[in-house]
Amino acid sequence: MEYFLQQLINGLTLGSIYGLIAIGYTMVYGIIGMINFAHGDIFMIGSFIALAVFLILTTVLGFTFLPVVLLIVLIIGMLFTSAWGWTVERLAYRPLRGSFRLAPLITAIGMSIVLQNFVQVTQGARVKPLPPQIQGGVTLMEGSTEAGRIVVQLSYMQMIIIVTTIVLMTLFTLLITRTSLGRAQRACEQDRKMASLLGVNVDRTISLTFVMGAALASVAGLMFLLLYGVIDFYIGFLAGVKAFTAAVLGGIGSLPGAMLGGLLIGMIEVMWSAYFSVEYKDVAAFSILAIVLIFLPSGLLGKPEVEKV
Amino acid sequence: MAAAVQTPADAGETKSWDLDPVLTVEHLTMRFGGLVAINDLSFNVGRGEITALIGPNGAGKTTVFNCVTGFYKPTEGRIAMRHGLGQQAQTVSEVTHSSLKWKPSPEGAVFLLERMPDFEISHHAKVARTFQNIRLFGGMTVLENLLVAQHNPLMRASGFTLGGILGLPGFRKAEQASIDKAVYWLEQVRLIERADDPAADLPYGDQRRLEIARAMCTEPHLLCLDEPAAGLNPRESHELNELLQFIRREHGTSVLLIEHDMGVVMEISDHIVVLDYGVKISDGDPAAVKTDPSVIAAYLGVEDEDLAEKPEVASIVVEALGEEAAEEAGIEIPPARKNGGDK
Amino acid sequence: MAAVNNAAVNTAAVDPNSLQASLKDALLAALLAGALGLFFLGIRTDIAPGGLAVRTRWGLLLTAMAIVFAGRLLLNLFVFKTKRPVTRAISGSMAGTGSALPTLGWWMGRGLFGFALVLPFFFMTFFPGQQRQYIDLAILIMTYIMLGWGLNIVVGLAGLLDLGYVAFYAVGAYSFALLATNFEFIGFWTALPLAGLLAAFWGMILGFPVLRLRGDYLAIVTLAFGEIIRVVLLNWYDFTGGPNGISGIPKPTFFGLEFSRGEGGFADFFGIEFNSIHRFVYLYYIIFILAIITNIVTMRLRRLPIGRAWEALREDEIACRSLGINTTNTKLTAFAIGAMFGGFAGSFFATRQGFISPESFTFLESAIILAIVVLGGLGSQIGVVIASIVMIGGIELLRNIGFLSQIFGPGFDPTQYRMLIFGLAMVLIMVWKPRGLVSTREPSAVLKEKKKIGADMVAQGEGH
């Protein structure tokens, strides 16, 4: 029981990260109907920027008060990662707007390759370890098993991740539902041509969607860095695929769906590793995806599509 | 069962479509969530006749089509398609009580369309259709479009591809025959000159005719046309009439069509079924339907009671219809109107 | 409304084509490049004794900004912000050749085929020093051509977006390797068809549940299946050898003759001097024949009802169903036949390498094959050939270009920039020609006059 609870907390933490990345996928898919394959790599870029800023602040400038450092890292990371998100859209997707469906998918895959190899070339192929920065936690429950004492612990790190995710999600939902930007976004989702006829700046709305997605991915990147303490240029692929899986699982185009899907994928992965085998955790996540899609093709919270004849 | 359909209320004589129906729709109901698109609809389509399904926008006509051609699974009801003459009541009831999708009968065969997936309906039950918003294979040539329609016989002839890959002579012959058939239909719809052009290149009217030709290449017993005259100019719409008459006359194909153009409907139909809000409000030959007050009311958006109780409504109807027809339909012509008419 | 008016005023006030505007735009681009590069070019983190250390490279960052500034300025002056862009002049001069292109394509196809036929002898005669390297490259390109043709059936003809094609490549390779290493009596020529059939079988198994899915969902599920197969290969030690892979896969024999030195070998039997190049030439012809078979079968299938049904499916699935086409079976055959050719290519890969491991079957491979198909022009056979030569040949050439290190100094290693340039090329070609290099469709049946069908009419499959 204690073991299960501990895994539940771990799953929630990992799921938060997936959920934050998944939002980027789901928004972009909702608005322009393409799989932004490079989004996972934007997440990776975000974690590298976070690492660089963190190191500059701590080792070069000598800041030591961690909360302030992390806040600065978060903000700078969001800004600079957003610039990457904007640039990718501007260079690789906007020229192909209104073109054929597969063209932006291929440029997205191309961009993904470019970003990975750009980081590999400029930062080296070796992993970047960062010693754990936030230690300790709150013990929620104690119990004993045959193997010995077992503790259910909610570490401060996990707390930060979960709270930040909740705060960002709330802000974000407000942004989408309450502001004119959100309205413009939903209008573009429905009918881009009509939206532009009604005076919505479609290009800017799409750009902002990419910027927002990248900003959230950068937060996920920072969390990933702090949680696992090790990053390399290749982390974006698997995290990206899983986050996309999460977005599809939750019903692509739906923001709460993306978060829910992220949590589920995180949970499945952690539980599978805990109870079955670590090696096959990715297989578990992908199999669940396939099963859900076959039996529930529009995901958990997506709107069911009626076939138009 | 379906007694109301088999003995029409408006006439003592039994109609041809009840004696020899190619298709019977019985108690068809289609719900989408809470929305009832079609409610307990029953009607017959006579063999070798042109039957029109009319009604205001949103009446559920296309939904009926989608149920008949298998694109929607009806919530309730039976849709029976018959090959061969007569009602074949015996076989229909046998198939219904078995778990079969269809069964050969002494006269031909009976197919329960609500049990069959869409492609089998076209393949086995021989029901072909066109679409309201034309669905051609735009990137393929006109000729290719017609060859795709002959997929099933060609697949058999190609030995399910294996014989075709090896280039067996049997397939060559079948392929030539399929091209000949395509040429025949291209001549009928006067598109033979455009045979090697991509379908998306054709003007709208030609695309409509090509879609009909493509459906005819499947050699259907029943051809379902969803608004074939939509967007056609008067000349094209007249040509369409002739084409449909030709199909019925030369090929004996029964036709079921949805149409808004009353000129087309009244001119070519043998039988008209009127839908409103998913319910049948009238059923009969064109003359009977034309004068049915409930049809008039439905088209003008007025209720029956209004027609009886409010003279101003009645007067609008009479104006729209012409006095003679109105009187025939049994609408009392308001006195005010009579006076006005005298002036 | 106000925004529109403002925009109008702005355009009236500042000529967007002026030098000033170009400079301003280039400056903004350079600043953006600076912002993007700040934490990547300007700063590098490295593992140092006391944890990570930060190193600054301001020179590199400034150089990059300068390059972006100059590049953007030149583009602005000659392409984006001028009344007579250079590109238009170029495309204008090329438009004249447009009508001649079909015959040009025909001759090009014949020419490439002829060259491919004599390719090993060409290199043996003219590049005796590097013949092995070049023939090896030709084998690699030919493998990708074959994979591209196989995937073209699925994506180009049937319009089903498959991001996990590498799975079938892997199934073919592993089936071949396991059959050939576990059963003595199964040689290359027996194992090859078996591996292809197994791949087709897997194509059906994987295809059956997923083919009802819409296009993008299909894409992601195929990607997931590709990854699942790779992870299983990686972790099923007893069967697949895990990350160590399978080694000692037998080389193909020429009617039982091995390409080995000494008695009973190929050279000995024919009484010629032993040369290790013989084996490469032989491998080249095997893949050449396999690829040609793939091409011939595909071209045949296109003219058969099944092939026409694939293309019709790509155009409009609902119309297909209304014409009595069983779309599930039709998709499944496309999937299975595509998988089968992938399996053949996989078997060939296994026998050529003599060693396989899951590392060769990553998503990147799927992406490269898909890129070849899309860049070449969906459904176009010659397009796949051109794209393979450009992309694969291009990457491999970067491996051994010496002159770059003379420019950038001896520490410059071109291989690490290979994939970066590959990715950039993918983006650029796609932006330049979104429908691929060869984008016209040839009709599969002709009544009187064969006309090419323009790319804008052909659907890419919405995958309902």
Side-chain angles (χ1 to χ4, degrees):
Chain A
M1 185 59 202
E2 284 81 12
Y3 185 64
F4 177 78
L5 276 178
Q6 183 65 61
Q7 298 309 325
L8 203 68
I9 293 172
N10 295 348
L12 212 61
T13 318
L14 183 62
S16 301
I17 294 179
Y18 286 151
L20 284 176
I21 310 174
I23 289 174
Y25 278 109
T26 223
M27 278 198 313
V28 167
Y29 191 92
I31 199 162
I32 52 176
M34 69 166 280
I35 303 176
N36 178 13
F37 234 95
H39 189 61
D41 299 290
I42 293 288
F43 153 79
M44 178 271 297
I45 293 268
S47 71
F48 269 87
I49 292 178
L51 177 70
V53 178
F54 185 84
L55 286 176
I56 292 170
L57 287 175
T58 51
T59 61
V60 180
L61 300 176
F63 283 106
T64 47
F65 187 54
L66 206 55
V68 174
V69 169
L70 287 184
L71 197 66
I72 297 173
V73 171
L74 186 81
I75 291 167
I76 294 183
M78 279 170 102
L79 282 176
F80 280 82
T81 315
S82 303
W84 276 97
W86 185 87
T87 310
V88 166
E89 193 273 335
R90 184 68 190 78
L91 289 183
Y93 307 149
R94 193 183 293 181
L96 292 171
R97 188 133 331 132
S99 179
F100 303 97
R101 196 172 59 94
L102 281 178
L105 183 76
I106 297 295
T107 53
I109 293 174
M111 262 299 159
S112 164
I113 296 174
V114 168
L115 293 182
Q116 278 176 27
N117 286 280
F118 174 73
V119 173
Q120 186 190 2
V121 167
T122 54
Q123 296 291 315
R126 292 175 66 184
V127 296
K128 311 271 174 195
L130 183 73
Q133 300 295 320
I134 305 165
Q135 279 161 334
V138 187
T139 303
L140 297 178
M141 206 192 278
E142 274 185 55
S144 55
T145 59
E146 294 132 30
R149 214 167 62 90
I150 188 159
V151 180
V152 182
Q153 200 187 41
L154 177 65
S155 70
Y156 293 130
M157 188 62 236
Q158 291 176 323
M159 237 187 279
I160 291 175
I161 289 178
I162 294 170
V163 169
T164 314
T165 306
I166 292 172
V167 169
L168 280 174
M169 266 309 281
T170 318
L171 281 178
F172 209 69
T173 314
L174 288 177
L175 190 69
I176 296 295
T177 52
R178 299 284 167 83
T179 64
S180 62
L181 168 65
R183 204 157 44 237
Q185 215 173 19
R186 277 174 287 146
C188 291
E189 254 172 57
Q190 295 286 324
D191 187 337
R192 222 183 300 156
K193 200 174 272 173
M194 197 62 216
S196 84
L197 285 176
L198 293 174
V200 175
N201 187 338
V202 173
D203 277 343
R204 202 181 59 187
T205 311
I206 293 174
S207 282
L208 277 171
T209 308
F210 276 84
V211 164
M212 286 190 287
L216 289 178
S218 89
V219 178
L222 169 65
M223 289 171 172
F224 186 93
L225 172 71
L226 293 174
L227 187 67
Y228 290 97
V230 58
I231 56 172
D232 64 40
F233 70 96
Y234 199 61
I235 55 168
F237 173 67
L238 207 56
V241 171
K242 282 196 198 140
F244 186 75
T245 303
V248 172
L249 184 61
I252 200 146
S254 147
L255 291 185
M259 209 58 229
L260 177 71
L263 290 179
L264 281 176
I265 291 285
M267 214 65 100
I268 290 164
E269 202 179 310
V270 166
M271 291 294 170
W272 193 275
S273 313
Y275 289 99
F276 299 101
S277 70
V278 186
E279 290 85 17
Y280 286 103
K281 65 181 164 104
D282 300 339
V283 173
F286 291 142
S287 308
I288 299 266
L289 168 81
I291 292 165
V292 169
L293 279 185
I294 289 160
F295 292 104
L296 201 71
S298 42
L300 295 171
L301 300 184
K303 281 176 239 114
E305 248 177 56
V306 178
E307 189 174 56
K308 279 257 191 262
V309 179
Chain B
M1 177 173 318
V5 175
Q6 311 240 324
T7 53
D10 59 316
E13 55 178 318
T14 314
K15 299 289 189 183
S16 56
W17 51 85
D18 296 325
L19 284 174
D20 184 13
V22 68
L23 179 83
T24 50
V25 173
E26 292 157 277
H27 304 288
L28 178 70
T29 299
M30 183 76 213
R31 290 192 203 97
F32 297 103
L35 178 83
V36 183
I38 308 171
N39 194 6
D40 196 29
L41 172 70
S42 302
F43 69 91
N44 290 356
V45 177
R47 184 176 311 281
E49 291 183 335
I50 296 182
T51 307
L53 196 56
I54 64 170
N57 285 326
K61 304 181 295 291
T62 299
T63 309
V64 173
F65 258 45
N66 286 338
C67 288
V68 168
T69 51
F71 284 90
Y72 293 162
K73 281 277 149 278
T75 321
E76 278 165 41
R78 182 167 75 182
I79 307 170
M81 174 79 194
R82 296 167 180 76
H83 292 177
L85 295 173
Q87 295 183 354
Q88 305 178 41
Q90 172 74 23
T91 320
V92 171
S93 106
E94 275 173 28
V95 191
T96 309
H97 294 293
S98 69
S99 57
L100 294 172
K101 292 177 189 166
W102 71 81
K103 193 178 175 196
S105 69
E107 297 89 352
V110 170
F111 301 83
L112 291 190
L113 302 188
E114 77 276 10
R115 295 184 185 173
M116 297 166 72
D118 40 27
F119 67 92
E120 283 186 0
I121 289 179
S122 167
H123 183 187
H124 299 291
K126 296 285 176 200
V127 178
R129 73 170 289 176
T130 64
F131 298 88
Q132 199 171 341
N133 35 0
I134 308 172
R135 286 183 173 275
L136 289 170
F137 306 122
M140 302 174 86
T141 65
V142 170
L143 178 67
E144 283 179 301
N145 267 274
L146 300 191
L147 293 181
V148 171
Q150 303 175 53
H151 176 78
N152 287 312
L154 279 176
M155 271 306 261
R156 262 194 306 281
S158 73
F160 296 92
T161 304
L162 277 176
I165 287 196
L166 302 173
L168 296 185
F171 174 66
R172 297 250 177 83
K173 228 158 79 191
E175 197 180 27
Q176 191 52 51
S178 70
I179 291 180
D180 291 344
K181 191 201 266 180
V183 168
Y184 168 80
W185 277 109
L186 287 178
E187 277 164 354
Q188 295 315 321
V189 298
R190 290 182 295 100
L191 286 173
I192 190 75
E193 294 305 318
R194 310 288 315 254
D196 292 320
D197 287 328
D201 242 1
L202 300 183
Y204 188 81
D206 289 356
Q207 292 197 2
R208 283 245 174 251
R209 288 206 308 281
L210 176 59
E211 211 189 10
I212 295 175
R214 188 180 68 178
M216 285 312 293
C217 277
T218 64
E219 303 204 322
H221 288 211
L222 174 65
L223 176 65
C224 300
L225 304 171
D226 199 343
E227 299 200 19
L232 299 189
N233 64 34
R235 190 178 55 82
E236 287 172 325
S237 141
H238 177 72
E239 285 170 6
L240 174 76
N241 284 359
E242 286 182 347
L243 176 64
L244 295 185
Q245 307 270 23
F246 169 82
I247 286 172
R248 191 249 304 254
R249 196 174 60 238
E250 298 295 319
H251 293 267
T253 310
S254 319
V255 177
L256 173 63
L257 70 137
I258 292 176
E259 192 46 73
H260 277 299
D261 185 336
M262 282 306 130
V264 174
V265 170
M266 293 300 164
E267 195 181 325
I268 64 169
S269 320
D270 303 300
H271 172 198
I272 297 178
V273 177
V274 191
L275 284 189
D276 192 19
Y277 294 109
V279 181
K280 185 168 84 174
I281 57 172
S282 184
D283 185 341
D285 54 44
V289 167
K290 206 192 244 171
T291 51
D292 189 333
S294 49
V295 175
I296 297 153
Y299 264 87
L300 296 173
V302 289
E303 303 287 334
D304 269 354
E305 303 97 75
D306 286 353
L307 208 56
E309 289 163 15
K310 295 184 186 155
E312 65 276 17
V313 173
S315 87
I316 294 167
V317 172
V318 171
E319 192 166 351
L321 213 60
E323 281 184 19
E324 209 176 314
E327 245 166 318
E328 224 177 292
I331 300 173
E332 196 185 315
I333 297 170
R337 164 85 202 174
K338 271 187 177 155
N339 292 343
D342 287 343
K343 263 183 206 169
Chain C
M1 237 7 235
V4 174
N5 284 340
N6 276 345
V9 170
N10 280 346
T11 45
V14 183
D15 176 14
N17 290 345
S18 72
L19 180 65
Q20 193 193 354
S22 293
L23 276 171
K24 195 177 148 198
D25 182 76
L27 196 65
L28 282 175
L31 284 177
L32 180 67
L36 297 182
L38 180 60
F39 295 108
F40 293 93
L41 298 168
I43 289 164
R44 176 167 176 150
T45 52
D46 273 311
I47 299 172
L52 285 169
V54 179
R55 190 151 59 85
T56 54
R57 299 183 293 195
W58 302 123
L60 183 64
L61 181 63
L62 288 174
T63 316
M65 286 170 72
I67 291 173
V68 169
F69 178 77
R72 180 81 187 179
L73 188 61
L74 288 176
L75 277 175
N76 278 343
L77 290 180
F78 294 106
V79 185
F80 296 147
K81 290 181 186 283
T82 166
K83 293 200 174 66
R84 287 187 302 116
V86 182
T87 43
R88 197 182 298 162
I90 294 170
S91 61
S93 68
M94 274 169 75
T97 60
S99 53
L101 263 175
T103 46
L104 191 75
W106 191 86
W107 282 111
M108 198 165 158
R110 291 295 181 283
L112 281 172
F113 178 80
F115 179 66
L117 207 58
V118 298
L119 181 140
F121 302 103
F122 174 81
F123 283 122
M124 278 154 78
T125 320
F126 294 102
F127 300 91
Q130 293 157 303
Q131 47 178 338
R132 201 186 130 166
Q133 187 192 347
Y134 283 131
I135 294 174
D136 215 30
L137 178 58
I139 292 173
L140 189 69
I141 292 178
M142 204 56 96
T143 314
Y144 277 98
I145 290 176
M146 179 168 176
L147 285 168
W149 279 341
L151 186 61
N152 209 359
I153 295 176
V154 184
V155 183
L157 294 184
L160 303 166
L161 186 49
D162 184 353
L163 288 180
Y165 191 61
V166 77
F168 307 121
Y169 190 42
V171 167
Y174 270 86
S175 308
F176 178 85
L178 289 168
L179 283 169
T181 49
N182 289 334
F183 303 101
E184 280 287 306
F185 57 92
I186 295 185
F188 175 80
W189 294 107
T190 343
L192 182 77
L194 285 177
L197 285 179
L198 274 170
F201 175 70
W202 272 96
M204 300 242 249
I205 296 217
L206 297 189
F208 195 70
V210 302
L211 285 176
R212 288 187 304 154
L213 298 176
R214 281 197 298 123
D216 297 300
Y217 285 176
L218 179 69
I220 202 73
V221 172
T222 49
L223 190 160
F225 273 141
E227 283 298 297
I228 289 175
I229 287 200
R230 193 179 61 84
V231 174
V232 169
L233 291 177
L234 198 59
N235 289 301
W236 197 357
Y237 292 93
D238 306 333
F239 192 58
T240 64
N244 301 329
I246 300 172
S247 51
I249 302 165
K251 305 277 177 206
T253 55
F254 185 78
F255 296 104
L257 296 173
E258 283 182 24
F259 287 87
S260 56
R261 195 184 287 276
E263 214 148 293
F266 175 80
D268 180 52
F269 185 84
F270 286 97
I272 49 177
E273 198 183 329
F274 174 79
N275 188 339
S276 63
I277 200 72
H278 291 158
R279 194 163 62 77
F280 286 91
V281 174
Y282 184 54
L283 280 172
Y284 173 79
Y285 279 111
I286 291 178
I287 188 66
F288 178 63
I289 289 166
L290 283 175
I292 290 298
I293 290 174
T294 311
N295 186 32
I296 291 174
V297 170
T298 312
M299 298 304 269
R300 271 257 154 113
L301 285 173
R302 267 202 72 207
R303 286 175 175 77
L304 288 176
I306 186 71
R308 242 175 248 133
W310 289 338
E311 292 201 76
L313 200 64
R314 179 192 66 204
E315 298 283 332
D316 194 325
E317 181 173 344
I318 287 177
C320 275
R321 274 153 45 191
S322 84
L323 296 173
I325 296 174
N326 183 338
T327 49
T328 313
N329 285 355
T330 308
K331 287 180 186 176
L332 218 50
T333 46
F335 229 62
I337 292 176
M340 183 178 77
F341 289 126
F344 286 145
S347 314
F348 175 79
F349 176 77
T351 190
R352 178 179 87 114
Q353 301 287 81
F355 161 77
I356 49 169
S357 76
E359 235 168 79
S360 311
F361 307 105
T362 56
F363 168 70
L364 188 65
E365 289 296 313
S366 288
I368 290 176
I369 304 165
L370 182 67
I372 285 174
V373 173
V374 178
L375 293 176
L378 282 176
S380 162
Q381 299 289 91
I382 188 79
V384 166
V385 177
I386 299 170
S388 299
I389 295 173
V390 170
M391 301 304 282
I392 305 300
I395 310 182
E396 291 304 312
L397 276 183
L398 287 173
R399 245 193 232 283
N400 32 40
I401 286 179
F403 75 90
L404 282 174
S405 59
Q406 279 156 14
I407 300 173
F408 292 99
F412 184 82
D413 174 16
T415 49
Q416 58 170 328
Y417 297 92
R418 236 158 36 98
M419 290 315 288
L420 184 63
I421 294 170
F422 179 78
L424 279 175
M426 249 167 101
V427 174
L428 287 178
I429 297 179
M430 220 58 236
V431 170
W432 172 50
K433 274 192 173 294
R435 291 306 301 243
L437 298 168
V438 182
S439 53
T440 51
R441 178 183 173 270
E442 285 214 18
S444 67
V446 178
L447 196 63
K448 289 194 192 93
E449 179 198 357
K450 189 163 169 181
K451 296 175 188 165
K452 299 263 180 177
I453 298 171
D456 47 332
M457 309 208 178
V458 183
Q460 287 197 333
E462 296 306 317
H464 290 277

